[in-house]
Amino acid sequence: MVNRKILLASRPKGMPDESNFEVIETTVPELQEGEVLIKTLYLSVDPYMRGRMSAAKSYAKPYEVGEPFLGGMVGKVVESKNSRFQAGQFVEGRLEWAEYNVSDGSTIRKVNPELAPVSTALHVLGMPGLTAYFGLIYIGEPKEGETVVVSGASGAVGTIVGQIAKLKGCRVVGIAGGDDKCSYLTEELGFDAAINYKTTDNLRKSLKEACPNGVDVYFDNVGGPVSDAVMSLINFQSRTIICGQISQYNLEKPELGPRVAGQLLTTSSLMKGFIVSDYAEHNKEGLTQLSQWVREGKIQYRENVVEGFENTVDAFLGLFRGDNIGKQLVKIAEE
Ligand SMILES: NC(=O)c1ccc[n+]([C@@H]2O[C@H](COP(=O)([O-])OP(=O)(O)OC[C@H]3O[C@@H](n4cnc5c(N)ncnc54)[C@H](OP(=O)(O)O)[C@@H]3O)[C@@H](O)[C@H]2O)c1
């Protein structure tokens, strides 16, 4: 059986392009005892994968040039020599960007198709949903009546952060890069206000109007000038959650910004970075709570689905152009 895979062809300087990726054709190997053969249904493209394309030391090991990309995927077991999995089951895990994967079962989990569409295991009921939940609940500790601002608000993580904050009784203000994105947040997800950072003449002023009582919790997905504007409005004992810095991922030189230590000092505020895996011991709690909210219709989600393995790289690059509303997925095969 032919199996297409995507490899890192070269390390990008600045914004990656198609030349940094290579598609190869291999064949699916014979299964060994303990292994499972999985047909990919959906591939997840995620901003953190940009970091792994560079050789810089980070929490996730860099991809090696000439090696396949590893990322989130949902697939169907087509053959199993592992007693924990049977053919026909759906699974999610970190595997190769490929049409088929052979796994020893250690990095995959079963997905229940009766709970929600299986693709949700890559967003609201998976890593991005848990990221939103852990960051907001464990670090942000939002209280009723407080104002929560989220940047990257219309993406996979941001949409869930804002909705959880609403469930906690907060005023929620989203920052996103499009009028369509902002209307989605306010009209469909119940955000109290949303600001298009690409068109406002003065982001700080727009934020001040949207946050008349200042900012108690800032969930930062983007960094850069957007965050500078939010940080100038933080309240006494505010909490800033550093989840992502996507505005910085493709810069060749670090960008200088205002020094925020004084602001944190004079407001007795907290700023904390985190990685979703820091809270792995709470995964069951997070997934149970998120599943309940989805079942009860208290949390909505949206998928931006691109079809076809050959469009995976462009879908990934689209994250940095802001192409997606909700979770960006690539559909590889029918269930
Ligand atoms: N700490 C963790 O464990 C963890 C886990 C998952 C994700 N993350 C981080 O969380 C953030 C969101 O991830 P996601 O998966 O939910 O992605 P996403 O928000 O679904 O997609 C990326 C979005 O980022 C925005 N963006 C791109 N370039 C930007 C720029 N220069 N300035 C401002 N915004 C920009 C775009 O929306 P606009 O149109 O609004 O610009 C784009 O749609 C990322 O920074 C990611 O690295 C962290």
Side-chain angles (χ1 to χ4, degrees):
M1 235 175 351
V2 174
N3 187 18
R4 286 184 293 172
K5 290 185 183 188
I6 300 172
L7 313 183
L8 178 66
S10 57
R11 298 203 187 278
K13 287 201 175 73
M15 175 74 184
D17 63 33
E18 299 270 347
S19 71
N20 301 122
F21 303 81
E22 184 189 0
V23 179
I24 58 155
E25 283 193 4
T26 58
T27 50
V28 176
E30 276 289 297
L31 276 196
Q32 305 297 313
E33 221 30 64
E35 289 182 338
V36 191
L37 175 63
I38 302 156
K39 180 175 179 165
T40 306
L41 303 177
Y42 293 95
L43 284 178
S44 177
V45 291
D46 290 273
Y48 78 88
M49 301 177 85
R50 171 63 183 87
R52 297 190 70 181
M53 294 176 77
S54 108
K57 189 167 172 267
S58 185
Y59 63 92
K61 201 165 119 309
Y63 299 127
E64 294 302 329
V65 174
E67 293 293 324
F69 279 77
L70 291 176
M73 70 104 227
V74 158
K76 196 170 195 174
V77 175
V78 286
E79 192 188 339
S80 178
K81 290 191 176 175
N82 180 316
S83 57
R84 287 174 47 230
F85 299 94
Q86 276 95 53
Q89 285 177 334
F90 294 99
V91 292
E92 181 270 337
R94 297 275 167 101
L95 293 173
E96 293 178 356
W97 266 3
E99 290 171 297
Y100 290 90
N101 271 280
V102 172
S103 163
D104 64 5
S106 62
T107 62
I108 55 174
R109 65 176 170 122
K110 286 176 212 159
V111 174
N112 178 358
E114 279 157 27
L115 203 60
V118 291
S119 54
T120 58
L122 294 172
H123 50 100
V124 61
L125 302 185
M127 186 277 279
L130 288 173
T131 303
Y133 180 85
F134 294 145
L136 185 66
I137 301 294
Y138 281 85
I139 306 171
E141 297 184 5
K143 291 167 200 70
E144 198 172 337
E146 288 190 326
T147 299
V148 175
V149 173
V150 53
S151 57
S154 64
V157 175
T159 49
I160 309 302
V161 169
Q163 292 181 87
I164 298 176
K166 280 308 300 174
L167 288 170
K168 297 288 169 192
C170 300
R171 174 174 177 79
V172 178
V173 177
I175 306 174
D179 290 342
D180 52 345
K181 295 185 173 193
C182 290
S183 331
Y184 172 62
L185 297 175
T186 52
E187 286 163 26
E188 293 187 43
L189 300 188
F191 282 47
D192 296 284
I195 300 166
N196 181 347
Y197 74 93
K198 288 186 176 164
T199 54
T200 176
D201 329 325
N202 185 332
L203 179 56
R204 185 175 188 278
K205 187 162 167 273
S206 304
L207 271 165
K208 217 170 165 183
E209 281 161 12
C211 307
N213 300 322
V215 177
D216 300 295
V217 177
Y218 174 40
F219 195 106
D220 184 15
N221 282 314
V222 308
V226 167
S227 295
D228 297 342
V230 184
M231 290 304 293
S232 70
L233 298 171
I234 56 171
N235 285 338
F236 181 66
Q237 291 187 342
S238 71
R239 288 82 69 200
T240 289
I241 304 131
I242 307 294
C243 173
Q245 297 284 289
I246 194 167
S247 73
Q248 311 294 296
Y249 295 171
N250 293 314
L251 298 181
E252 291 185 59
K253 280 195 193 143
E255 197 177 61
L256 296 181
R259 295 189 168 119
V260 294
Q263 193 88 13
L264 295 171
L265 169 68
T266 54
T267 57
S268 294
S269 285
L270 172 87
M271 178 183 258
K272 186 179 182 329
F274 80 107
I275 306 300
V276 60
S277 53
D278 298 345
Y279 296 87
E281 65 185 292
H282 300 290
N283 278 359
K284 190 162 175 229
E285 167 208 317
L287 288 175
T288 305
Q289 179 61 86
L290 289 162
S291 307
Q292 188 187 330
W293 282 331
V294 168
R295 240 188 353 262
E296 294 171 352
K298 291 182 175 162
I299 283 194
Q300 315 286 324
Y301 59 85
R302 186 141 145 188
E303 298 177 337
N304 207 67
V305 183
V306 162
E307 305 240 350
F309 186 78
E310 59 286 357
N311 295 316
T312 304
V313 170
D314 191 56
F316 172 66
L317 298 177
L319 292 171
F320 304 99
R321 297 187 297 254
D323 288 358
N324 58 307
I325 296 187
K327 172 64 190 169
Q328 183 65 57
L329 293 172
V330 188
K331 186 172 178 182
I332 308 298
E334 290 297 332
E335 285 173 32

